[in-house]
Amino acid sequence: MQKRKGETALKPNFLIFVTDQHRADWLSCMGNDILQTPHIDKIAHRGVLFENTYCNTPLCMPSRATMWTGLPSSVHSARTNGVDLDNKYPVLPQILQDNGYKTISVGKIHLKAWHMSKERGNKNITEYDPALLPECETVWNENKCNKLPDNYFGLEVTHFLGGHGSYCFGEYVQWLQSVRPDIYEALKNQNSAKETTGKKDNYYSEVPKEYHYNEWIKRHTMEELDKCESDKPFFLWCSFPDPHFPFGPPAPYYDAYKKEQMPDPIAWDDSRDNMNEWYHASCYKARGEESIDGGPSPYTLEQIKETKALAWGMVKHIDDCIGEIMKHLEETRKKENTVVIFLADHGELMGDHGMYCKGPFHYEGLLRVPFLISWPGHLPENTRESSLVSLLDFMPTILDLAHIDYPEGPIKAWEGPFEGKPLYTSDPLPGHSLVPLMEKKAEKVQEDILVENDDDIRHVNLRTLITERYKITVYSHQSYGELFDLQKDPQERENLWECYEYKEIKYHMLERLMQKMLEQQDRTTRRIGIA
């Protein structure tokens, strides 16, 4: 990451739009010719679109913790959903606040556990301490909390929404209960204006658009933009919980797309014979458990297509909200000095290979996410970048654009015993600033991407390495794995793990995977002396 100290120019503002469980190909600027997202596309047209962006862990908590720490899940401790982010690592809002920024969050954060109450299966929980469980649904639903703690992860201002759809909670729900308790009941009960195909969590929401949580997020974002002073830069995290399940957009968005329009999922009918045990319904039946948070699809093709149509309606709703926020940004004359970023925490399988939702299934639909950056007059416009990028690159890019160095500890790092010979050969963060890439000063910032996944419920850990051509996945305590040639087989329909012709490529990829895992060990803590 490039270091630029001592600069006095006003630092740029940052307006970050984040969606949840949003595939890269669910944008028209990414080639979708059915789903139209003109307002998000406009960000791409005014900036740089990264066509090959991967999340580093395809789950909400670890991925969001990666965005805010610049560290992989094996380092920052939030290695899977339900594991809190360790407070010992510097987080992006706090770093920015320490450097003169006003820091704001509207919507979803999810760096602390949500579903940890007795009714969710944690029998060890006896009390709900808001100080220890600030994002837990039970704390909010029992009215033990009506605001996140002061300076929560470095945030000066928060308007909090937890959960998704009918099971959301937080300040939005408390507001809705106070102004329209009848609408809250319709939301909570998943009241559907139309009959569905019968798939769980598909519904045509009866909540009027103006009372929907996306509109609440939009309004608070615009209000906070109004409060930002011109002489102080801001960081505004605008985080929508959609298009994550349950899939229940309000009118008119639930009619935006029809299931009959939806293309078939990739490899929907492909045989499971060449797929590992986690892809088989029999695996979960034999273990006496359900497929947690996704897995082999129990739904029909018609149900999956209805789900996709509803999810695309949710994306269209987000797109309209972003359009209004961007218009407001322009009206408040803050656009010229504001970096606008759109990205998502992870993707969604949505029937690909007969799978749904998310989990330890490292197909492209789950791993590839949208990532757009716009700052007209400062960064290139209408540019598409095809080299490999990951969410680990988000924080280094923000710090580079803000001309801020990653913070050192209370004692500065030791420079080493030999003058002129650097002790450290790499930056504290494993990701890379994308500024050189956007400014065409570099053709690429990395050769490969590491994806991590630790699944306590399924008792499996896996690691995936992605290069420009190949993808390899290994599983803990298993001799099997996956190897795909993404150039010849972009739909990942032929697992080459046992293919003799790819033997040397497999060994080479395994060696690269091992080297990448070594590279991404924690190096944020530097030596302060020889011993």
Side-chain angles (χ1 to χ4, degrees), residues 40 50 73 95 105 119 133 260 301 330 333 384 409 437 454 505 520:
I40 298 171
F50 297 95
S73 58
I95 296 171
S105 174
E119 61 269 24
L133 312 175
E260 293 79 15
L301 182 58
E330 192 164 348
R333 300 185 178 181
R384 304 179 78 91
L437 202 59
D454 293 349
I505 292 172
Q520 292 199 357

Side-chain angles (χ1 to χ4, degrees), residues 114-128 136-138 142:
W114 284 355
H115 301 325
M116 54 188 298
S117 56
K118 287 182 180 180
E119 61 269 24
R120 293 282 182 172
N122 190 343
K123 302 300 188 290
N124 297 319
I125 294 290
T126 57
E127 296 180 358
Y128 301 97
C136 177
E137 61 178 340
T138 308
E142 293 183 353

